[in-house]
Amino acid sequence: MLSSKFIHAFTRQIYHTNLITSATFNVIKKHNSTHTKNDLVLVDVNDKTGFSIVTLNRPPVNSLNLELLSAFSSVLDDLHKNNSRGMILTSSSSTVFSAGLDINELYKPDMDRVRKFWTSLQDCWIKLYGSSFPTAAAINGHAPAGGCLFAMCCEYRVMLPKYTIGLNETQLGIVAPTWFMATMKNTIPLRQAELALTLGKMFKTDDALKLGLIDEIAENKEDAIHKCEIFLKKYQKIPQTARALTKQSYRKNDIMELENNREADLQLFFLAISDPRVQSSLGKYVAFLKLKSRMKPILEAVKFLKGIFKSKKKKN
Protein backbone atom coordinates (compact mmCIF):
# COMPACT_ATOMS: atom_id res chain seq x y z
CA MET A 1 0.00 0.00 0.00
CA LEU A 2 1.27 3.51 -0.74
CA SER A 3 1.89 6.33 1.71
CA SER A 4 0.22 9.69 1.07
CA LYS A 5 3.64 11.33 0.69
CA PHE A 6 4.73 8.76 -1.87
CA ILE A 7 1.40 8.95 -3.70
CA HIS A 8 1.63 12.72 -4.22
CA ALA A 9 5.29 12.70 -5.21
CA PHE A 10 4.88 9.70 -7.46
CA THR A 11 1.76 10.98 -9.19
CA ARG A 12 3.42 14.31 -9.87
CA GLN A 13 6.21 12.40 -11.56
CA ILE A 14 3.73 10.47 -13.69
CA TYR A 15 1.82 13.49 -14.95
CA HIS A 16 4.55 16.10 -15.13
CA THR A 17 7.29 14.03 -16.75
CA ASN A 18 5.07 11.59 -18.63
CA LEU A 19 7.57 8.78 -18.04
CA ILE A 20 5.09 5.99 -17.52
CA THR A 21 4.67 3.81 -20.60
CA SER A 22 2.90 0.59 -21.37
CA ALA A 23 5.57 -0.57 -23.81
CA THR A 24 7.20 -3.94 -23.25
CA PHE A 25 11.00 -3.92 -23.31
CA ASN A 26 12.55 -6.70 -25.39
CA VAL A 27 16.05 -6.49 -23.99
CA ILE A 28 17.34 -9.81 -25.30
CA LYS A 29 17.34 -9.47 -29.06
CA LYS A 30 19.07 -12.70 -30.04
CA HIS A 31 18.82 -16.38 -29.18
CA ASN A 32 15.47 -16.05 -27.50
CA SER A 33 11.92 -17.26 -27.88
CA THR A 34 8.95 -15.37 -26.52
CA HIS A 35 6.02 -16.92 -24.71
CA THR A 36 3.16 -14.75 -23.52
CA LYS A 37 1.10 -16.20 -20.67
CA ASN A 38 -1.30 -13.35 -21.18
CA ASP A 39 -1.06 -9.60 -21.58
CA LEU A 40 -0.46 -9.07 -17.86
CA VAL A 41 2.69 -11.18 -17.52
CA LEU A 42 5.14 -11.62 -20.39
CA VAL A 43 7.74 -14.40 -20.48
CA ASP A 44 10.84 -14.23 -22.69
CA VAL A 45 13.01 -17.35 -22.60
CA ASN A 46 16.61 -16.93 -23.72
CA ASP A 47 17.34 -20.16 -25.59
CA LYS A 48 21.07 -19.62 -25.16
CA THR A 49 21.12 -19.29 -21.36
CA GLY A 50 17.81 -20.94 -20.47
CA PHE A 51 16.93 -17.95 -18.29
CA SER A 52 13.38 -16.56 -18.34
CA ILE A 53 12.68 -12.84 -18.19
CA VAL A 54 9.29 -12.43 -16.54
CA THR A 55 7.82 -8.97 -17.11
CA LEU A 56 4.95 -7.52 -15.09
CA ASN A 57 2.85 -5.72 -17.68
CA ARG A 58 -0.16 -3.97 -16.17
CA PRO A 59 0.18 -0.27 -17.06
CA PRO A 60 0.66 2.23 -15.78
CA VAL A 61 2.23 1.07 -12.48
CA ASN A 62 1.79 -2.73 -12.25
CA SER A 63 -0.57 -2.49 -9.30
CA LEU A 64 -1.24 -6.00 -8.06
CA ASN A 65 -4.86 -7.01 -8.64
CA LEU A 66 -6.43 -10.47 -8.69
CA GLU A 67 -5.92 -10.97 -12.42
CA LEU A 68 -2.23 -10.00 -12.37
CA LEU A 69 -1.52 -12.18 -9.34
CA SER A 70 -3.33 -15.15 -10.90
CA ALA A 71 -1.32 -14.77 -14.10
CA PHE A 72 1.96 -14.47 -12.21
CA SER A 73 1.12 -17.53 -10.11
CA SER A 74 0.47 -19.51 -13.29
CA VAL A 75 3.79 -18.39 -14.78
CA LEU A 76 5.65 -19.53 -11.67
CA ASP A 77 3.94 -22.93 -11.99
CA ASP A 78 5.07 -23.19 -15.61
CA LEU A 79 8.67 -22.30 -14.75
CA HIS A 80 8.72 -24.96 -12.06
CA LYS A 81 7.24 -27.63 -14.33
CA ASN A 82 9.70 -26.78 -17.10
CA ASN A 83 12.70 -26.93 -14.72
CA SER A 84 13.65 -23.33 -15.41
CA ARG A 85 17.36 -22.59 -15.12
CA GLY A 86 16.62 -19.17 -13.68
CA MET A 87 14.16 -16.28 -13.65
CA ILE A 88 14.66 -12.52 -13.89
CA LEU A 89 11.67 -10.49 -12.69
CA THR A 90 11.21 -7.00 -14.11
CA SER A 91 8.61 -4.46 -15.29
CA SER A 92 7.38 -3.07 -18.60
CA SER A 93 7.04 0.37 -17.02
CA SER A 94 9.95 2.78 -17.36
CA THR A 95 9.61 4.14 -13.82
CA VAL A 96 7.74 1.59 -11.68
CA PHE A 97 8.66 -1.99 -10.81
CA SER A 98 5.32 -2.43 -9.03
CA ALA A 99 3.34 0.10 -7.03
CA GLY A 100 2.02 -2.60 -4.68
CA LEU A 101 -1.47 -3.87 -4.05
CA ASP A 102 -4.22 -2.44 -6.23
CA ILE A 103 -6.20 0.05 -4.18
CA ASN A 104 -9.41 -1.03 -5.90
CA GLU A 105 -9.07 -4.51 -4.37
CA LEU A 106 -9.04 -2.97 -0.90
CA TYR A 107 -11.49 -0.07 -1.01
CA LYS A 108 -15.11 -1.08 -0.35
CA PRO A 109 -14.16 -4.67 -1.21
CA ASP A 110 -16.31 -7.56 -2.32
CA MET A 111 -15.38 -10.16 0.26
CA ASP A 112 -15.55 -13.14 -2.10
CA ARG A 113 -13.15 -11.41 -4.46
CA VAL A 114 -10.96 -10.32 -1.56
CA ARG A 115 -10.59 -13.94 -0.50
CA LYS A 116 -9.43 -14.92 -3.99
CA PHE A 117 -7.18 -11.87 -4.18
CA TRP A 118 -5.39 -12.48 -0.89
CA THR A 119 -5.13 -16.22 -1.51
CA SER A 120 -3.52 -15.49 -4.88
CA LEU A 121 -1.03 -13.16 -3.22
CA GLN A 122 -0.20 -15.89 -0.69
CA ASP A 123 0.27 -18.36 -3.56
CA CYS A 124 2.63 -16.04 -5.42
CA TRP A 125 4.75 -15.46 -2.34
CA ILE A 126 5.03 -19.15 -1.49
CA LYS A 127 5.95 -20.06 -5.07
CA LEU A 128 8.42 -17.20 -5.60
CA TYR A 129 10.04 -17.22 -2.15
CA GLY A 130 10.37 -21.01 -2.20
CA SER A 131 11.05 -21.55 -5.91
CA SER A 132 13.30 -24.44 -6.91
CA PHE A 133 14.90 -22.30 -9.63
CA PRO A 134 17.22 -19.33 -8.90
CA THR A 135 15.67 -15.88 -9.11
CA ALA A 136 16.83 -12.29 -9.58
CA ALA A 137 15.01 -8.97 -9.81
CA ALA A 138 15.86 -6.19 -12.26
CA ILE A 139 14.18 -3.34 -10.39
CA ASN A 140 13.71 -0.67 -13.04
CA GLY A 141 11.53 1.71 -11.04
CA HIS A 142 9.85 2.42 -7.71
CA ALA A 143 9.06 -0.67 -5.63
CA PRO A 144 6.88 0.13 -2.60
CA ALA A 145 4.97 -2.46 -0.57
CA GLY A 146 4.05 -5.46 -2.75
CA GLY A 147 6.68 -4.44 -5.30
CA CYS A 148 9.32 -4.53 -2.58
CA LEU A 149 7.96 -7.89 -1.36
CA PHE A 150 8.34 -9.56 -4.77
CA ALA A 151 11.82 -8.07 -5.22
CA MET A 152 12.93 -9.34 -1.80
CA CYS A 153 11.61 -12.81 -2.60
CA CYS A 154 14.24 -13.00 -5.32
CA GLU A 155 17.72 -14.13 -4.38
CA TYR A 156 19.45 -11.18 -6.04
CA ARG A 157 18.32 -7.62 -6.66
CA VAL A 158 19.69 -5.05 -9.10
CA MET A 159 18.12 -1.58 -9.07
CA LEU A 160 18.31 1.53 -11.20
CA PRO A 161 19.35 4.88 -9.62
CA LYS A 162 17.02 7.50 -8.15
CA TYR A 163 14.14 5.18 -7.28
CA THR A 164 12.72 4.03 -3.96
CA ILE A 165 11.97 0.66 -2.37
CA GLY A 166 10.48 -0.47 0.95
CA LEU A 167 7.55 -1.84 2.91
CA ASN A 168 5.58 1.29 3.83
CA GLU A 169 2.36 -0.27 5.18
CA THR A 170 2.48 1.46 8.59
CA GLN A 171 2.19 4.85 6.91
CA LEU A 172 -1.38 3.87 5.96
CA GLY A 173 -2.10 2.49 9.42
CA ILE A 174 -1.75 -1.10 8.22
CA VAL A 175 0.37 -3.83 9.81
CA ALA A 176 2.47 -5.75 7.28
CA PRO A 177 1.67 -9.49 7.40
CA THR A 178 4.20 -11.66 9.23
CA TRP A 179 5.37 -13.20 5.96
CA PHE A 180 6.11 -9.74 4.57
CA MET A 181 8.17 -9.17 7.72
CA ALA A 182 9.90 -12.55 7.41
CA THR A 183 10.96 -11.72 3.86
CA MET A 184 12.52 -8.44 4.96
CA LYS A 185 14.24 -10.10 7.94
CA ASN A 186 15.74 -12.60 5.49
CA THR A 187 17.08 -9.71 3.42
CA ILE A 188 18.50 -7.08 5.79
CA PRO A 189 19.82 -7.11 9.39
CA LEU A 190 17.12 -7.76 12.02
CA ARG A 191 17.47 -4.41 13.80
CA GLN A 192 17.28 -2.50 10.53
CA ALA A 193 14.29 -4.58 9.45
CA GLU A 194 12.44 -3.66 12.63
CA LEU A 195 13.10 0.03 12.11
CA ALA A 196 12.18 -0.11 8.44
CA LEU A 197 8.93 -1.94 9.14
CA THR A 198 7.77 0.20 12.07
CA LEU A 199 8.63 3.44 10.26
CA GLY A 200 7.22 2.24 6.93
CA LYS A 201 10.42 3.59 5.43
CA MET A 202 11.13 3.94 1.72
CA PHE A 203 14.82 3.74 0.75
CA LYS A 204 16.47 5.47 -2.19
CA THR A 205 18.64 3.27 -4.39
CA ASP A 206 21.97 4.26 -2.79
CA ASP A 207 20.61 3.75 0.72
CA ALA A 208 19.05 0.42 -0.25
CA LEU A 209 22.45 -0.78 -1.46
CA LYS A 210 24.18 0.23 1.79
CA LEU A 211 21.47 -1.54 3.78
CA GLY A 212 21.64 -4.73 1.70
CA LEU A 213 18.08 -4.38 0.47
CA ILE A 214 19.54 -4.53 -3.05
CA ASP A 215 22.82 -6.07 -4.23
CA GLU A 216 23.87 -3.85 -7.14
CA ILE A 217 23.03 -0.63 -8.95
CA ALA A 218 22.66 -0.65 -12.74
CA GLU A 219 22.84 2.16 -15.27
CA ASN A 220 19.67 1.14 -17.08
CA LYS A 221 17.27 -1.76 -17.50
CA GLU A 222 19.43 -3.62 -19.99
CA ASP A 223 22.40 -3.36 -17.63
CA ALA A 224 20.24 -4.55 -14.72
CA ILE A 225 19.17 -7.64 -16.64
CA HIS A 226 22.78 -8.30 -17.65
CA LYS A 227 23.89 -8.13 -14.01
CA CYS A 228 21.08 -10.51 -13.05
CA GLU A 229 22.25 -12.92 -15.75
CA ILE A 230 25.80 -12.82 -14.37
CA PHE A 231 24.42 -13.76 -10.95
CA LEU A 232 22.30 -16.61 -12.30
CA LYS A 233 25.26 -18.01 -14.27
CA LYS A 234 27.10 -18.57 -10.99
CA TYR A 235 24.80 -21.54 -10.36
CA GLN A 236 25.53 -23.31 -13.64
CA LYS A 237 28.30 -25.42 -12.10
CA ILE A 238 26.35 -26.12 -8.89
CA PRO A 239 24.26 -29.33 -8.84
CA GLN A 240 20.70 -28.10 -9.35
CA THR A 241 19.02 -30.36 -6.77
CA ALA A 242 21.52 -29.49 -4.04
CA ARG A 243 21.13 -25.78 -4.73
CA ALA A 244 17.33 -25.92 -4.72
CA LEU A 245 17.05 -28.00 -1.54
CA THR A 246 19.53 -25.77 0.28
CA LYS A 247 17.52 -22.65 -0.61
CA GLN A 248 14.21 -24.26 0.31
CA SER A 249 15.57 -25.62 3.59
CA TYR A 250 16.89 -22.17 4.47
CA ARG A 251 13.50 -20.57 3.83
CA LYS A 252 11.18 -23.40 4.86
CA ASN A 253 10.27 -22.08 8.34
CA ASP A 254 8.91 -18.85 6.87
CA ILE A 255 6.94 -20.76 4.23
CA MET A 256 5.56 -23.33 6.67
CA GLU A 257 4.45 -20.55 8.99
CA LEU A 258 2.17 -19.17 6.29
CA GLU A 259 1.07 -22.53 4.91
CA ASN A 260 -0.05 -23.62 8.39
CA ASN A 261 -1.90 -20.36 9.04
CA ARG A 262 -3.30 -19.27 5.69
CA GLU A 263 -6.90 -18.90 6.88
CA ALA A 264 -5.89 -17.00 10.01
CA ASP A 265 -3.74 -14.71 7.87
CA LEU A 266 -6.73 -14.11 5.58
CA GLN A 267 -8.95 -13.21 8.54
CA LEU A 268 -6.36 -10.74 9.82
CA PHE A 269 -6.33 -9.13 6.39
CA PHE A 270 -10.14 -8.89 6.46
CA LEU A 271 -9.96 -7.13 9.83
CA ALA A 272 -7.25 -4.74 8.65
CA ILE A 273 -9.03 -3.49 5.53
CA SER A 274 -12.39 -3.37 7.34
CA ASP A 275 -11.04 -0.80 9.80
CA PRO A 276 -12.96 2.47 9.18
CA ARG A 277 -9.75 4.49 9.47
CA VAL A 278 -8.09 2.38 6.79
CA GLN A 279 -11.12 2.63 4.52
CA SER A 280 -11.16 6.39 5.03
CA SER A 281 -7.50 6.64 4.03
CA LEU A 282 -8.07 4.44 1.00
CA GLY A 283 -11.10 6.48 0.02
CA LYS A 284 -9.04 9.68 0.02
CA TYR A 285 -6.48 8.02 -2.22
CA VAL A 286 -9.16 6.83 -4.67
CA ALA A 287 -10.61 10.35 -4.81
CA PHE A 288 -7.13 11.75 -5.41
CA LEU A 289 -6.56 9.37 -8.33
CA LYS A 290 -9.90 10.30 -9.89
CA LEU A 291 -9.05 13.99 -9.61
CA LYS A 292 -5.66 13.45 -11.23
CA SER A 293 -7.30 11.48 -14.02
CA ARG A 294 -9.64 14.36 -14.79
CA MET A 295 -6.75 16.84 -14.66
CA LYS A 296 -4.47 14.80 -16.92
CA PRO A 297 -5.55 16.47 -20.22
CA ILE A 298 -5.03 19.91 -18.67
CA LEU A 299 -1.58 18.98 -17.34
CA GLU A 300 -0.57 17.58 -20.72
CA ALA A 301 -1.73 20.76 -22.45
CA VAL A 302 0.29 22.88 -19.99
CA LYS A 303 3.35 20.71 -20.62
CA PHE A 304 2.90 21.11 -24.36
CA LEU A 305 2.64 24.90 -24.08
CA LYS A 306 5.72 25.03 -21.86
CA GLY A 307 7.62 23.07 -24.50
CA ILE A 308 6.62 25.57 -27.18
CA PHE A 309 7.59 28.49 -24.94
CA LYS A 310 11.02 27.01 -24.19
CA SER A 311 11.59 26.30 -27.89
CA LYS A 312 10.80 29.91 -28.84
CA LYS A 313 12.96 31.21 -26.01
CA LYS A 314 15.97 29.21 -27.27
CA LYS A 315 15.49 30.56 -30.81
CA ASN A 316 15.41 34.11 -29.51
Side-chain angles (χ1 to χ4, degrees):
M1 297 80 173
L2 302 175
S3 69
S4 297
K5 183 178 180 181
F6 180 83
I7 291 164
H8 285 279
F10 178 60
T11 308
R12 281 198 302 273
Q13 182 181 15
I14 291 175
Y15 289 106
H16 287 284
T17 65
N18 198 28
L19 291 177
I20 292 297
T21 176
S22 61
T24 300
F25 294 79
N26 295 313
V27 176
I28 297 178
K29 302 293 184 182
K30 299 179 181 179
H31 307 293
N32 77 324
S33 56
T34 301
H35 305 283
T36 303
K37 191 66 186 178
N38 60 33
D39 291 338
L40 295 175
V41 181
L42 307 177
V43 183
D44 295 324
V45 181
N46 188 316
D47 293 333
K48 186 176 180 180
T49 64
F51 303 148
S52 299
I53 298 179
V54 175
T55 303
L56 301 179
N57 184 48
R58 185 175 181 242
V61 294
N62 287 325
S63 53
L64 305 174
N65 69 346
L66 173 58
E67 288 73 22
L68 176 56
L69 291 172
S70 297
F72 186 39
S73 179
S74 181
V75 165
L76 293 171
D77 285 338
D78 289 346
L79 294 178
H80 175 71
K81 291 174 184 176
N82 294 327
N83 296 314
S84 174
R85 297 184 63 184
M87 182 202 79
I88 299 171
L89 181 64
T90 191
S91 162
S92 64
S93 166
S94 62
T95 56
V96 187
F97 181 71
S98 171
L101 305 187
D102 190 331
I103 204 78
N104 294 307
E105 299 285 8
L106 312 178
Y107 182 56
K108 296 181 178 179
D110 173 87
M111 300 313 284
D112 288 336
R113 183 177 171 91
V114 165
R115 173 177 287 276
K116 294 176 182 177
F117 167 73
W118 195 251
T119 299
S120 294
L121 181 61
Q122 291 174 334
D123 287 340
C124 286
W125 180 81
I126 290 171
K127 293 173 184 178
L128 181 58
Y129 191 64
S131 66
S132 58
F133 48 86
T135 57
I139 309 167
N140 59 315
H142 295 293
C148 177
L149 178 70
F150 281 174
M152 291 191 301
C153 283
C154 296
E155 296 155 68
Y156 203 74
R157 289 162 296 281
V158 183
M159 189 170 174
L160 273 59
K162 300 180 181 179
Y163 291 115
T164 55
I165 184 171
L167 295 180
N168 56 343
E169 280 76 2
T170 56
Q171 293 191 35
L172 269 184
I174 297 173
V175 179
T178 56
W179 39 290
F180 281 50
M181 296 183 187
T183 311
M184 179 164 273
K185 289 190 287 185
N186 188 51
T187 306
I188 62 176
L190 287 176
R191 175 60 178 153
Q192 295 304 317
E194 180 181 5
L195 290 172
L197 287 162
T198 53
L199 290 170
K201 190 169 182 179
M202 295 294 295
F203 298 92
K204 293 182 179 179
T205 302
D206 290 341
D207 295 328
L209 180 64
K210 293 175 184 177
L211 186 62
L213 190 53
I214 62 172
D215 299 290
E216 285 191 81
I217 298 176
E219 295 179 2
N220 50 48
K221 183 176 180 179
E222 184 172 8
D223 184 40
I225 290 177
H226 177 65
K227 283 177 164 57
C228 288
E229 288 178 325
I230 291 173
F231 168 76
L232 294 177
K233 287 177 181 178
K234 293 179 180 180
Y235 288 119
Q236 290 182 338
K237 295 182 180 180
I238 305 297
Q240 186 175 3
T241 300
R243 189 213 65 80
L245 290 177
T246 299
K247 170 187 173 180
Q248 291 171 334
S249 295
Y250 188 84
R251 299 183 174 196
K252 73 174 183 179
N253 289 339
D254 296 336
I255 295 171
M256 289 178 63
E257 177 67 23
L258 176 58
E259 286 184 333
N260 293 335
N261 297 282
R262 291 187 65 157
E263 184 61 30
D265 178 70
L266 176 64
Q267 295 304 320
L268 285 174
F269 176 65
F270 283 162
L271 286 174
I273 62 171
S274 298
D275 188 312
R277 292 168 295 183
V278 173
Q279 283 295 309
S280 175
S281 179
L282 295 177
K284 290 176 182 177
Y285 177 36
V286 170
F288 174 78
L289 290 180
K290 289 180 179 178
L291 176 62
K292 281 293 182 182
S293 179
R294 290 195 295 268
M295 290 178 64
K296 184 177 180 180
I298 299 172
L299 293 172
E300 289 179 344
V302 170
K303 182 180 177 181
F304 176 74
L305 292 173
K306 283 183 177 179
I308 295 175
F309 177 77
K310 287 182 180 179
S311 178
K312 289 182 177 180
K313 190 174 181 180
K314 286 182 180 179
K315 290 180 180 179
N316 296 333

